[in-house]
């Protein structure tokens, strides 16, 4: 049974990764329906929260049906991170998560995200101060190390546990790898095998099918799995994994009618949360993934990304429903 503080997540929870410009409330809504057990906000800049930046503040929006939900923060200054954790705690999430894994230059070059993998004492001190400042459970998401010569995650996991974090998620790549190559879960398994470790350890990286989820569960012994890119346009993956783990069978993939229903739900929430213009614009990145594998879909995709109002998008989606009625979409993504 995986527990983060007093939060009971069940036997083998599936977590939605905190993806920038993806894991917003509209996307989280369809992933929650799709079976995600624990979700996180997009990562939020500590400096942005302190400056009261509109975009950063908006990312604090959470809803009761999302629970349990964690707010993820990143930053390079300990004082600012503590202050931002206090701001985040005020909106009453279930936990605070610290990002020590984001590899992009805009974050790492400011001494935040994966940059802390080059300064473990500072990482530990920052985490300790955040743990002290809030009564909420504090968790961490990080990577194996900065590069192949500094894969120190087994030691880091012990030190973070010792100063009070309640769970650890590890992406099986170094910062230098970015998102290239294959994720290496062997060090994640070594954390789990360490008799000193007693907090939940979640694995992240390359989980894109129920079969792989079961394989990695059995092979690496993690307490749960975090799913990121595989959920984009396919929020059904969480329930598919659950059914496969329980029964050894993968359910039929969602048919066209189900894909359109969820796309419309996502679009409607996107518009209600962001407004007409931005809600329409930011949904455009999702259409290719929602309809991946459908034959000769390119003309519809082009029309969907060019549509500038909800009525027009829904009209196109209704055409898609009629055009592809009864067609089975391939399972492989």
């Amino acid at each position: 049974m995986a527990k983060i503080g007093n939060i009971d997540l069940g036997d083998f929870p599936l977590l939605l990764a905190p993806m920038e410009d993806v894991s917003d409330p509209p996307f989280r809504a369809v992933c929650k329906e799709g079976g995600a057990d624990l979700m996180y906000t997009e990562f939020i800049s500590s400096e942005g929260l302190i400056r009261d930046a509109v975009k950063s503040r908006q990312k604090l929006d959470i809803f009761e049906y999302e629970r349990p939900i964690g707010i993820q923060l990143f930053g390079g200054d300990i004082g600012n991170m503590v202050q931002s954790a206090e701001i985040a705690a005020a909106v009453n999430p279930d936990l605070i998560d610290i990002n020590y894994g984001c590899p992009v230059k805009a974050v790492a070059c400011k001494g935040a995200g994966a940059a802390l993998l080059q300064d473990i004492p500072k990482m530990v001190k920052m985490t300790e101060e955040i743990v002290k400042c809030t009564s909420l459970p504090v968790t961490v998401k990080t990577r194996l190390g900065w590069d192949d010569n500094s894969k120190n995650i087994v030691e880091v996991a012990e030190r973070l546990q010792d100063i009070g974090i309640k769970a650890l998620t590890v992406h099986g790549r170094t910062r230098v790898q970015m998102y290239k190559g294959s994720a290496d879960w062997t060090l994640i398994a070594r954390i789990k095998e360490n008799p000193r470790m007693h907090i939940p350890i979640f694995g992240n990286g390359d989980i894109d099918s129920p079969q792989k989820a079961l394989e990695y569960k059995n092979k690496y012994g993690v307490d749960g799995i975090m799913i990121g890119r595989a959920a984009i346009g396919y929020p059904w993956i969480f329930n598919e994994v659950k059914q496969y783990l329980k029964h050894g069978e993968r359910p039929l993939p969602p048919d066209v009618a189900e894909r359109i229903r969820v796309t419309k739900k996502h679009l409607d929430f996107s518009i209600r949360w962001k407004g007409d213009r931005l809600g329409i614009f930011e949904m455009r990145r999702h259409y290719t993934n929602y309809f991946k594998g459908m034959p000769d879909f390119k003309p519809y995709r082009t029309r969907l990304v060019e549509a500038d109002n909800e009525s027009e998008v829904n009209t196109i989606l209704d055409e898609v429903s009629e055009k592809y009625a009864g067609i089975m979409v391939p399972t492989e993504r």
Side-chain angles (χ1 to χ4, degrees), residues 230-238 240 250 253-254 259 289-290 331 333:
I232 301 175
Y234 205 81
W236 303 275
I237 190 169
F238 299 98
E240 288 189 0
R250 182 170 186 169
R259 291 169 187 261
N289 290 296
Y290 271 122
T331 300
R333 293 179 56 73

Side-chain angles (χ1 to χ4, degrees), residues 26 263-273 283 310:
T263 303
K264 286 184 174 182
K265 175 178 178 176
H266 193 164
L267 172 66
D268 177 67
F269 198 153
S270 183
I271 290 171
R272 284 188 287 113
W273 189 61
M283 268 300 293
E310 184 175 14

Side-chain angles (χ1 to χ4, degrees), residues 143-160:
R143 288 182 170 233
L144 301 178
W146 179 260
D147 57 24
D148 285 341
N149 296 318
S150 60
K151 291 183 179 179
N152 49 11
I153 188 59
V154 176
E155 173 200 347
V156 170
E158 280 194 15
R159 294 180 66 178
L160 292 174

Side-chain angles (χ1 to χ4, degrees), residues 41 48 64 73 121 127 135 148 150 158 208 282 299 301 313 321:
T41 62
E64 282 301 312
L73 304 172
T127 307
S135 61
D148 285 341
S150 60
E158 280 194 15
D208 56 8
E282 294 198 352
R301 187 197 68 81
V313 173
S321 180

Side-chain angles (χ1 to χ4, degrees), residues 58-308:
Q58 189 181 34
K59 290 179 180 180
L60 290 176
D61 286 356
I62 58 176
F63 300 86
E64 282 301 312
Y65 66 81
E66 297 185 287
R67 297 189 185 280
I69 178 100
I71 290 176
Q72 191 187 74
L73 304 172
F74 76 96
D77 181 86
I78 294 176
N80 287 349
M81 282 291 284
V82 169
Q83 188 176 343
S84 68
E86 292 169 343
I87 294 170
V91 304
N92 195 31
D94 295 286
L95 60 89
I96 300 291
D97 188 74
I98 311 172
N99 182 308
Y100 293 136
C102 180
V104 300
K105 287 184 179 180
V107 173
C109 288
K110 294 181 179 178
L116 275 300
L117 290 165
Q118 296 179 296
D119 190 346
I120 300 305
K122 182 178 179 181
M123 176 198 283
V124 173
K125 181 63 176 176
M126 180 181 289
T127 307
E128 183 177 26
E129 293 303 314
I130 293 172
V131 169
K132 287 178 180 178
C133 85
T134 179
S135 61
L136 293 171
V138 174
T139 62
V140 163
K141 183 173 188 285
T142 189
R143 288 182 170 233
L144 301 178
W146 179 260
D147 57 24
D148 285 341
N149 296 318
S150 60
K151 291 183 179 179
N152 49 11
I153 188 59
V154 176
E155 173 200 347
V156 170
E158 280 194 15
R159 294 180 66 178
L160 292 174
Q161 176 182 263
D162 288 348
I163 53 91
I165 71 166
K166 300 301 182 183
L168 176 67
T169 301
V170 181
H171 183 109
R173 290 180 173 87
T174 64
R175 187 273 171 179
V176 168
Q177 278 184 275
M178 301 292 285
Y179 295 99
K180 297 176 182 178
S182 298
D184 178 4
W185 285 49
T186 55
L187 288 180
I188 305 176
R190 282 184 56 192
I191 299 170
K192 275 301 301 176
E193 293 164 359
N194 183 348
R196 286 200 65 240
M197 298 300 297
H198 56 78
I199 61 173
I201 304 299
F202 304 120
N204 175 226
D206 294 351
I207 300 297
D208 56 8
S209 70
Q211 294 91 331
K212 187 173 284 188
L214 177 61
E215 176 191 352
Y216 280 37
K217 174 182 184 290
N218 292 338
K219 187 173 182 179
Y220 300 109
V222 291
D223 296 294
I225 285 174
M226 178 177 281
I227 296 174
R229 288 172 288 176
I232 301 175
Y234 205 81
W236 303 275
I237 190 169
F238 299 98
N239 278 329
E240 288 189 0
V241 169
K242 288 179 178 180
Q243 181 160 329
Y244 194 81
L245 293 180
K246 186 174 182 180
H247 302 292
E249 296 179 354
R250 182 170 186 169
L252 291 174
D255 60 17
V256 175
E258 169 66 3
R259 291 169 187 261
I260 289 173
R261 180 191 72 80
V262 172
T263 303
K264 286 184 174 182
K265 175 178 178 176
H266 193 164
L267 172 66
D268 177 67
F269 198 153
S270 183
I271 290 171
R272 284 188 287 113
W273 189 61
K274 302 175 185 176
D276 289 341
R277 183 176 176 278
L278 190 59
I280 290 285
F281 177 77
E282 294 198 352
M283 268 300 293
R284 291 173 179 171
R285 69 185 64 148
H286 293 282
Y287 296 129
T288 296
N289 290 296
Y290 271 122
F291 300 104
K292 188 173 183 178
M294 290 175 57
D296 304 315
F297 191 76
K298 185 176 180 180
Y300 290 104
R301 187 197 68 81
T302 300
R303 290 173 61 196
L304 286 167
V305 299
E306 291 176 349
D308 61 6

